[in-house]
Amino acid sequence: QVQLVESGGGLVQAGGSLRLSCAASGRTFSTYTMGWFRQAPGKEREFVAAISWRGFSTDYADSVKGRFTISRDNAKNTVYLQMNSLKPEDTAVYYCAAARSFGSKRSDEYNNWGQGTQVTVSS
């Protein structure tokens, strides 16, 4: 199991950028697929991006492709989400999560979650 803590959220104008970080505790971080999800008010939690345990494979939601980049530093037990060209519709609480396998966009495939960090994009 890993414990996850997100940071880096905030208020930004449309077109701006933010970088989210997710710090993990535990020796097994490097063995997990890591993902980012988000949940806007009144909406279901949705997949944003995922990265395989060594970082060789990534996956993105169509809505963020070309704007967001997921990366990880296993030496620092940290996964990142670089968000560029932000839009008001990106406003949500962003969560990082860990899974044992790569390839699913389903939140129920992830069994370790952080507390979330708020991202607000103003128009």
Side-chain angles (χ1 to χ4, degrees), residues 51-99:
I51 187 166
S52 59
W53 67 281
R54 286 200 290 181
F56 291 166
S57 299
T58 58
D59 191 16
Y60 295 93
D62 288 343
S63 59
V64 306
K65 276 181 184 175
R67 300 189 298 123
F68 290 12
T69 303
I70 189 171
S71 61
R72 68 190 296 162
D73 185 337
N74 286 343
K76 295 182 178 180
N77 276 16
T78 303
V79 61
Y80 305 97
L81 185 68
Q82 178 67 43
M83 306 186 295
N84 298 329
S85 302
L86 283 161
K87 304 175 182 180
E89 51 263 45
D90 295 318
T91 295
V93 177
Y94 282 70
Y95 300 88
C96 71

Side-chain angles (χ1 to χ4, degrees), residues 30-64:
S30 62
T31 67
Y32 284 88
T33 284
M34 296 300 298
W36 286 95
F37 289 76
R38 67 186 182 186
Q39 188 166 18
K43 295 188 176 181
E44 293 197 354
R45 191 169 297 189
E46 65 173 359
F47 172 82
V48 175
I51 187 166
S52 59
W53 67 281
R54 286 200 290 181
F56 291 166
S57 299
T58 58
D59 191 16
Y60 295 93
D62 288 343
S63 59
V64 306

Side-chain angles (χ1 to χ4, degrees), residues 15-38:
S17 298
L18 281 175
R19 188 175 83 154
L20 305 183
S21 298
C22 174
S25 62
R27 299 180 187 177
T28 59
F29 170 79
S30 62
T31 67
Y32 284 88
T33 284
M34 296 300 298
W36 286 95
F37 289 76
R38 67 186 182 186

